[in-house]
Coordinates of all heavy atoms in Angstrom, one line a residue:
M204 N -75.7 41.5 -32.7 CA -76.5 41.7 -33.8 C -75.9 40.8 -35.0 O -74.7 40.9 -35.1 CB -76.7 43.1 -34.2 CG -77.5 43.9 -33.1 SD -78.1 45.5 -33.8 CE -76.6 46.2 -34.3
L205 N -76.7 40.3 -35.7 CA -76.3 39.6 -36.9 C -77.0 40.2 -38.2 O -78.2 40.2 -38.1 CB -76.6 38.1 -36.7 CG -76.4 37.2 -37.9 CD1 -74.8 37.1 -38.2 CD2 -76.8 35.7 -37.4
F206 N -76.3 40.5 -39.2 CA -76.9 41.0 -40.4 C -76.9 39.7 -41.3 O -75.9 39.1 -41.6 CB -76.0 42.1 -41.1 CG -76.3 43.5 -40.5 CD1 -75.6 43.7 -39.3 CD2 -77.0 44.2 -41.0 CE1 -75.8 45.0 -38.7 CE2 -77.2 45.6 -40.5 CZ -76.6 46.0 -39.4
I207 N -78.1 39.6 -42.0 CA -78.3 38.4 -42.9 C -79.0 39.0 -44.2 O -79.9 39.6 -44.1 CB -79.4 37.4 -42.3 CG1 -78.9 36.9 -41.0 CG2 -79.6 36.4 -43.3 CD1 -77.6 35.8 -41.2
P208 N -78.3 38.8 -45.4 CA -78.9 39.2 -46.6 C -80.1 38.3 -46.9 O -80.0 37.0 -46.8 CB -77.8 38.9 -47.7 CG -76.9 38.0 -47.1 CD -77.0 38.1 -45.5
A209 N -81.2 38.9 -47.2 CA -82.4 38.2 -47.3 C -82.6 37.4 -48.6 O -83.6 36.7 -48.7 CB -83.6 39.2 -47.2
N210 N -81.6 37.4 -49.5 CA -81.7 36.7 -50.8 C -81.0 35.2 -50.6 O -80.9 34.7 -51.6 CB -81.3 37.5 -51.9 CG -79.7 37.8 -51.9 OD1 -79.1 38.0 -50.7 ND2 -79.0 37.8 -52.9
S211 N -80.6 34.9 -49.5 CA -79.7 33.7 -49.3 C -80.6 32.7 -48.4 O -80.6 32.8 -47.3 CB -78.4 34.0 -48.8 OG -77.8 32.8 -48.5
P212 N -81.3 31.7 -49.1 CA -81.9 30.8 -48.3 C -81.2 30.0 -47.2 O -81.6 29.8 -46.1 CB -82.5 29.7 -49.3 CG -82.5 30.5 -50.6 CD -81.3 31.4 -50.6
K213 N -79.9 29.7 -47.6 CA -79.0 29.0 -46.7 C -78.6 30.0 -45.6 O -78.7 29.4 -44.3 CB -77.7 28.7 -47.5 CG -76.6 28.0 -46.6 CD -75.4 27.8 -47.5 CE -74.2 27.2 -46.7 NZ -73.1 27.0 -47.4
M214 N -78.4 31.2 -45.7 CA -78.1 32.0 -44.5 C -79.3 32.3 -43.7 O -79.2 32.4 -42.5 CB -77.5 33.3 -45.2 CG -76.1 33.1 -45.6 SD -75.2 34.6 -46.0 CE -74.7 35.1 -44.3
L215 N -80.5 32.3 -44.3 CA -81.8 32.6 -43.6 C -82.0 31.4 -42.6 O -82.2 31.6 -41.3 CB -82.9 32.7 -44.5 CG -83.1 34.0 -45.3 CD1 -84.3 34.0 -46.3 CD2 -83.2 35.2 -44.4
L216 N -81.7 30.2 -43.2 CA -81.9 29.0 -42.3 C -80.8 28.9 -41.1 O -81.2 28.5 -40.1 CB -81.9 27.8 -43.2 CG -83.2 27.5 -44.1 CD1 -83.0 26.4 -44.9 CD2 -84.4 27.5 -43.2
K217 N -79.7 29.3 -41.6 CA -78.6 29.3 -40.5 C -78.7 30.4 -39.5 O -78.2 30.2 -38.3 CB -77.2 29.6 -41.2 CG -76.7 28.3 -41.9 CD -75.3 28.6 -42.5 CE -74.2 28.1 -41.4 NZ -72.8 28.2 -42.0
S218 N -79.4 31.6 -39.8 CA -79.6 32.5 -38.8 C -80.3 32.1 -37.5 O -80.1 32.5 -36.5 CB -80.4 33.7 -39.3 OG -81.8 33.3 -39.5
N219 N -81.0 30.9 -37.6 CA -81.7 30.5 -36.4 C -80.8 29.7 -35.4 O -81.0 29.6 -34.3 CB -82.9 29.6 -36.8 CG -83.9 29.5 -35.7 OD1 -84.2 30.3 -35.0 ND2 -84.4 28.2 -35.6
V220 N -79.7 29.2 -36.0 CA -78.8 28.5 -35.2 C -77.6 29.3 -34.7 O -76.7 28.7 -34.0 CB -78.3 27.2 -35.7 CG1 -79.5 26.3 -36.1 CG2 -77.5 27.5 -37.1
M221 N -77.5 30.5 -35.1 CA -76.3 31.4 -34.7 C -76.4 31.9 -33.3 O -75.5 32.5 -32.8 CB -76.1 32.5 -35.8 CG -76.0 32.1 -37.1 SD -74.4 31.1 -37.4 CE -73.2 32.3 -37.3
Q222 N -77.7 31.8 -32.7 CA -77.7 32.3 -31.3 C -77.6 33.7 -31.2 O -77.0 34.2 -30.2 CB -77.1 31.4 -30.3 CG -77.4 30.0 -30.4 CD -76.6 29.2 -29.4 OE1 -75.7 29.6 -28.7 NE2 -77.1 28.0 -29.2
A223 N -77.9 34.6 -32.1 CA -77.8 36.0 -32.0 C -78.9 36.6 -31.1 O -79.9 36.0 -31.0 CB -77.8 36.7 -33.5
D224 N -78.6 37.7 -30.6 CA -79.6 38.4 -29.7 C -80.7 39.1 -30.6 O -81.8 39.3 -30.1 CB -78.9 39.4 -28.7 CG -78.0 38.7 -27.7 OD1 -78.4 37.6 -27.2 OD2 -77.0 39.3 -27.4
F225 N -80.1 39.6 -31.7 CA -80.9 40.4 -32.6 C -80.5 40.1 -34.1 O -79.2 40.2 -34.3 CB -80.8 41.8 -32.3 CG -81.8 42.8 -32.7 CD1 -83.0 42.9 -32.2 CD2 -81.7 43.4 -33.9 CE1 -83.9 43.8 -32.6 CE2 -82.5 44.3 -34.5 CZ -83.7 44.5 -33.9
I226 N -81.4 39.9 -35.1 CA -81.1 39.7 -36.4 C -81.5 40.8 -37.1 O -82.7 41.2 -37.1 CB -81.6 38.3 -36.9 CG1 -81.0 37.2 -36.2 CG2 -81.3 38.2 -38.4 CD1 -81.6 35.8 -36.6
I227 N -80.8 41.3 -38.1 CA -81.2 42.3 -39.1 C -81.3 41.6 -40.5 O -80.2 41.3 -40.9 CB -80.3 43.6 -39.1 CG1 -80.3 44.2 -37.7 CG2 -80.8 44.5 -40.1 CD1 -79.3 45.3 -37.4
F228 N -82.5 41.4 -41.0 CA -82.5 40.8 -42.3 C -82.5 42.0 -43.4 O -83.2 42.9 -43.3 CB -83.9 40.1 -42.5 CG -84.0 39.0 -41.5 CD1 -84.8 38.9 -40.5 CD2 -83.3 37.8 -41.9 CE1 -84.9 37.8 -39.6 CE2 -83.4 36.7 -41.0 CZ -84.2 36.8 -39.9
D229 N -81.5 41.8 -44.1 CA -81.2 43.0 -45.0 C -81.8 42.8 -46.5 O -81.5 41.9 -47.1 CB -79.6 43.1 -45.3 CG -79.2 44.4 -45.9 OD1 -80.0 45.3 -46.2 OD2 -78.0 44.5 -46.2
L230 N -82.7 43.8 -46.7 CA -83.3 43.9 -48.1 C -82.7 45.1 -48.8 O -83.1 45.5 -50.0 CB -84.8 44.1 -48.0 CG -85.6 42.9 -47.6 CD1 -87.0 43.2 -47.3 CD2 -85.5 41.7 -48.6
E231 N -81.7 45.8 -48.2 CA -81.2 47.0 -48.8 C -79.7 46.8 -49.6 O -79.8 46.1 -50.6 CB -81.0 48.2 -47.9 CG -80.7 49.4 -48.5 CD -80.3 50.5 -47.5 OE1 -79.7 50.3 -46.4 OE2 -80.5 51.6 -47.8
D232 N -78.7 47.1 -49.1 CA -77.4 47.1 -49.7 C -76.8 45.6 -49.9 O -76.1 45.3 -50.7 CB -76.4 47.9 -48.9 CG -76.6 49.3 -49.0 OD1 -77.3 49.7 -50.0 OD2 -76.1 50.0 -48.2
G233 N -77.4 44.8 -49.0 CA -76.9 43.4 -49.0 C -77.5 42.5 -50.1 O -77.1 41.4 -50.3
V234 N -78.4 43.1 -50.8 CA -79.2 42.4 -51.9 C -79.0 43.3 -53.2 O -79.3 44.4 -53.4 CB -80.6 42.2 -51.6 CG1 -81.4 41.5 -52.7 CG2 -80.8 41.5 -50.2
A235 N -78.5 42.5 -54.3 CA -78.4 43.2 -55.6 C -79.7 43.6 -56.1 O -80.8 42.9 -55.7 CB -77.7 42.3 -56.5
E236 N -79.8 44.7 -56.8 CA -81.0 45.3 -57.3 C -81.9 44.2 -58.0 O -83.2 44.3 -57.8 CB -80.8 46.5 -58.2 CG -82.0 47.3 -58.5 CD -82.6 48.1 -57.3 OE1 -81.8 48.5 -56.5 OE2 -83.8 48.2 -57.2
D237 N -81.5 43.4 -58.9 CA -82.1 42.5 -59.7 C -82.6 41.3 -58.9 O -83.3 40.4 -59.4 CB -81.3 42.0 -60.9 CG -80.0 41.3 -60.5 OD1 -79.5 41.4 -59.4 OD2 -79.4 40.6 -61.4
R238 N -82.1 41.2 -57.5 CA -82.6 39.9 -56.7 C -83.5 40.5 -55.5 O -83.8 39.6 -54.7 CB -81.4 39.4 -56.1 CG -80.5 38.8 -57.3 CD -79.6 37.8 -57.1 NE -80.4 36.7 -56.4 CZ -79.8 35.7 -55.6 NH1 -78.4 35.8 -55.4 NH2 -80.3 34.6 -55.1
K239 N -83.9 41.7 -55.4 CA -84.7 42.3 -54.4 C -86.0 41.6 -54.4 O -86.5 41.3 -53.1 CB -84.8 43.7 -54.4 CG -83.5 44.5 -54.0 CD -83.8 46.0 -54.0 CE -82.3 46.6 -53.7 NZ -81.7 46.3 -52.4
A240 N -86.8 41.3 -55.4 CA -88.1 40.8 -55.4 C -88.0 39.3 -54.9 O -88.8 38.9 -54.0 CB -88.6 40.7 -56.8
E241 N -87.0 38.6 -55.3 CA -86.7 37.2 -54.9 C -86.4 37.3 -53.3 O -87.1 36.4 -52.5 CB -85.6 36.6 -55.5 CG -85.1 35.4 -54.9 CD -83.7 34.8 -55.6 OE1 -83.2 35.5 -56.4 OE2 -83.3 33.7 -55.2
A242 N -85.6 38.2 -52.9 CA -85.3 38.4 -51.5 C -86.6 38.5 -50.7 O -86.7 38.0 -49.5 CB -84.3 39.4 -51.2
R243 N -87.4 39.4 -51.1 CA -88.7 39.8 -50.3 C -89.5 38.4 -50.2 O -90.0 38.1 -49.1 CB -89.5 40.9 -51.1 CG -89.0 42.3 -50.8 CD -89.9 43.3 -51.4 NE -90.1 43.2 -52.8 CZ -89.3 43.8 -53.8 NH1 -88.3 44.6 -53.4 NH2 -89.8 43.5 -55.0
E244 N -89.6 37.7 -51.2 CA -90.4 36.4 -51.1 C -89.9 35.6 -50.3 O -90.4 34.8 -49.5 CB -90.7 35.9 -52.5 CG -91.5 36.7 -53.4 CD -92.8 36.9 -52.9 OE1 -93.4 36.0 -52.3 OE2 -93.5 38.1 -52.9
L245 N -88.5 35.3 -50.4 CA -87.7 34.4 -49.4 C -87.9 34.8 -48.0 O -88.2 33.9 -47.2 CB -86.3 34.2 -49.8 CG -85.8 33.4 -51.0 CD1 -84.4 33.7 -51.4 CD2 -86.2 32.0 -50.7
L246 N -87.7 36.0 -47.7 CA -87.9 36.5 -46.4 C -89.3 36.4 -45.9 O -89.5 35.8 -44.7 CB -87.3 38.0 -46.2 CG -87.3 38.5 -44.8 CD1 -86.5 37.8 -43.8 CD2 -86.8 39.9 -44.9
R247 N -90.3 36.6 -46.6 CA -91.6 36.5 -46.3 C -91.9 35.0 -45.8 O -92.5 34.9 -44.8 CB -92.7 36.9 -47.4 CG -94.1 36.8 -47.0 CD -95.1 37.2 -48.0 NE -94.8 38.7 -48.3 CZ -94.5 39.2 -49.4 NH1 -94.4 38.5 -50.6 NH2 -94.3 40.5 -49.6
A248 N -91.6 34.1 -46.6 CA -91.7 32.8 -46.4 C -91.0 32.3 -45.1 O -91.6 31.5 -44.3 CB -91.2 31.8 -47.6
Y249 N -89.7 32.8 -44.9 CA -89.0 32.3 -43.7 C -89.6 32.9 -42.4 O -89.9 32.2 -41.5 CB -87.6 32.8 -43.8 CG -86.8 32.5 -42.5 CD1 -86.4 31.2 -42.4 CD2 -86.3 33.6 -41.8 CE1 -85.7 30.9 -41.1 CE2 -85.6 33.2 -40.7 CZ -85.2 31.9 -40.3 OH -84.5 31.6 -39.3
L250 N -90.1 34.2 -42.5 CA -90.7 34.8 -41.3 C -92.0 34.2 -40.9 O -92.4 34.1 -39.8 CB -90.8 36.3 -41.5 CG -89.5 37.1 -41.6 CD1 -89.7 38.5 -41.9 CD2 -88.7 36.8 -40.3
T251 N -92.7 33.7 -41.9 CA -94.0 33.2 -41.7 C -93.9 31.6 -41.3 O -94.9 30.9 -41.0 CB -95.0 33.3 -42.9 OG1 -94.5 32.7 -44.0 CG2 -95.4 34.8 -43.1
S252 N -92.8 31.0 -41.4 CA -92.5 29.7 -41.2 C -92.5 29.3 -39.6 O -92.7 28.2 -39.3 CB -91.2 29.1 -41.8 OG -90.1 29.7 -41.0
G253 N -92.4 30.4 -38.8 CA -92.2 30.2 -37.4 C -90.8 29.7 -36.9 O -90.8 29.3 -35.7
L254 N -89.9 29.7 -37.8 CA -88.5 29.3 -37.4 C -87.7 30.4 -36.7 O -86.7 30.1 -36.1 CB -87.7 28.8 -38.6 CG -88.2 27.6 -39.4 CD1 -87.5 27.4 -40.7 CD2 -88.1 26.5 -38.4
V255 N -88.0 31.5 -36.8 CA -87.4 32.7 -36.2 C -87.5 32.6 -34.7 O -88.6 32.7 -34.2 CB -87.7 34.1 -36.7 CG1 -87.0 35.2 -36.0 CG2 -87.6 34.1 -38.2
S256 N -86.3 32.6 -33.9 CA -86.4 32.4 -32.4 C -85.8 33.6 -31.7 O -85.7 33.5 -30.5 CB -85.7 31.2 -32.0 OG -84.3 31.1 -32.5
C257 N -85.6 34.7 -32.3 CA -85.1 35.9 -31.5 C -85.7 37.1 -32.2 O -86.5 37.0 -33.2 CB -83.6 35.9 -31.6 SG -82.8 36.4 -33.2
R258 N -85.4 38.2 -31.6 CA -86.0 39.5 -32.1 C -85.3 39.8 -33.4 O -84.1 39.5 -33.5 CB -85.7 40.7 -31.1 CG -86.4 40.3 -29.9 CD -86.3 41.4 -28.7 NE -85.1 42.3 -28.9 CZ -84.7 43.2 -28.4 NH1 -85.4 43.6 -27.2 NH2 -83.7 44.1 -28.6
Y259 N -85.9 40.6 -34.2 CA -85.4 40.9 -35.6 C -85.9 42.1 -36.1 O -87.0 42.6 -35.7 CB -85.6 39.7 -36.6 CG -87.0 39.6 -36.9 CD1 -87.7 40.1 -38.0 CD2 -87.8 38.6 -36.2 CE1 -88.9 40.1 -38.3 CE2 -89.2 38.4 -36.5 CZ -89.6 39.1 -37.5 OH -91.0 38.9 -37.9
M260 N -85.3 42.7 -37.0 CA -85.8 43.8 -37.8 C -85.5 43.6 -39.2 O -84.6 42.7 -39.6 CB -85.4 45.2 -37.3 CG -83.8 45.3 -37.6 SD -83.4 47.1 -37.1 CE -83.2 47.9 -38.6
I261 N -86.1 44.3 -40.2 CA -85.9 44.3 -41.6 C -85.3 45.6 -42.1 O -85.9 46.7 -41.9 CB -87.3 43.9 -42.4 CG1 -87.8 42.5 -41.8 CG2 -86.9 43.8 -43.8 CD1 -89.0 42.2 -42.3
R262 N -84.2 45.6 -42.7 CA -83.6 46.7 -43.2 C -84.1 46.8 -44.7 O -83.8 46.0 -45.5 CB -82.1 46.6 -43.3 CG -81.3 47.9 -43.8 CD -79.9 47.6 -43.6 NE -79.1 48.8 -44.0 CZ -78.0 48.8 -44.7 NH1 -77.5 47.6 -45.2 NH2 -77.5 49.8 -45.2
V263 N -84.8 47.9 -44.9 CA -85.3 48.2 -46.2 C -84.7 49.4 -47.0 O -83.9 50.2 -46.4 CB -86.9 48.4 -46.1 CG1 -87.6 47.2 -45.5 CG2 -87.2 49.7 -45.4
N264 N -85.1 49.6 -48.2 CA -84.5 50.6 -49.0 C -85.2 52.0 -48.5 O -86.3 52.0 -47.7 CB -84.8 50.5 -50.4 CG -83.9 49.4 -51.0 OD1 -84.1 48.3 -50.9 ND2 -82.7 49.8 -51.6
R265 N -84.7 53.1 -49.1 CA -85.2 54.5 -48.6 C -86.7 54.6 -48.9 O -87.3 54.1 -49.9 CB -84.5 55.5 -49.5 CG -84.9 56.9 -49.5 CD -84.1 57.8 -50.3 NE -84.2 57.3 -51.7 CZ -85.2 57.5 -52.7 NH1 -86.1 58.3 -52.1 NH2 -85.2 57.2 -53.9
V266 N -87.3 55.2 -48.0 CA -88.9 55.4 -48.0 C -89.0 56.3 -49.4 O -88.4 57.2 -49.7 CB -89.3 56.2 -46.9 CG1 -90.8 56.5 -47.1 CG2 -89.2 55.4 -45.6
G267 N -90.1 55.8 -50.2 CA -90.3 56.4 -51.4 C -89.7 55.8 -52.7 O -90.1 56.1 -53.7
S268 N -88.6 55.0 -52.4 CA -88.0 54.3 -53.6 C -88.9 53.1 -54.0 O -89.8 52.7 -53.4 CB -86.7 53.7 -53.1 OG -86.8 52.6 -52.1
A269 N -88.6 52.7 -55.3 CA -89.5 51.6 -55.9 C -89.3 50.4 -55.1 O -90.4 49.6 -54.8 CB -89.0 51.5 -57.3
A270 N -88.1 50.1 -54.6 CA -88.0 48.9 -53.8 C -88.6 48.8 -52.4 O -89.2 47.9 -52.0 CB -86.4 48.7 -53.6
F271 N -88.7 50.1 -51.8 CA -89.5 50.2 -50.6 C -90.9 50.0 -50.8 O -91.7 49.3 -50.1 CB -89.3 51.6 -50.0 CG -90.1 51.9 -48.7 CD1 -89.6 51.3 -47.5 CD2 -91.3 52.6 -48.9 CE1 -90.4 51.6 -46.5 CE2 -92.1 52.8 -47.6 CZ -91.6 52.3 -46.4
Q272 N -91.5 50.6 -51.9 CA -92.9 50.5 -52.3 C -93.2 49.0 -52.5 O -94.3 48.6 -52.1 CB -93.3 51.4 -53.5 CG -93.1 52.9 -53.3 CD -93.9 53.5 -52.1 OE1 -95.0 53.0 -51.9 NE2 -93.4 54.2 -51.3
A273 N -92.4 48.3 -53.2 CA -92.6 46.9 -53.5 C -92.7 46.0 -52.2 O -93.4 45.1 -52.1 CB -91.6 46.4 -54.4

């Protein structure tokens, strides 16, 4: 498993060449509070680009939190 902070375009792009069995894109602790909106947009763009070549999940903030709702 490979954890990738979703606010880093460089790391998002590198995640595809790391040959991980499973990627966890982190929108929770791996992303500073003031960068969460940017991280959501970057991750959305990356996931819709068709570049992801393995199974993945997205780690989000606590259900009911403002970041989760966004």
Side-chain angles (χ1 to χ4, degrees):
M204 289 193 309
L205 176 65
F206 281 79
I207 299 288
N210 66 323
S211 173
K213 181 180 176 181
M214 291 189 77
L215 288 173
L216 291 173
K217 281 184 97 173
S218 70
N219 200 37
V220 298
M221 300 299 282
Q222 299 182 350
D224 294 324
F225 195 86
I226 297 174
I227 300 171
F228 295 108
D229 193 2
L230 288 171
E231 190 189 28
D232 293 341
V234 178
E236 193 66 38
D237 62 340
R238 301 211 45 213
K239 288 187 186 289
E241 172 191 1
R243 286 190 296 271
E244 292 302 317
L245 283 171
L246 185 57
R247 181 178 297 126
Y249 180 67
L250 293 177
T251 59
S252 72
L254 294 174
V255 180
S256 60
C257 71
R258 296 181 342 180
Y259 66 89
M260 69 176 250
I261 302 169
R262 183 177 180 219
V263 298
N264 288 82
R265 178 183 52 80
V266 173
S268 68
F271 178 82
Q272 297 300 321

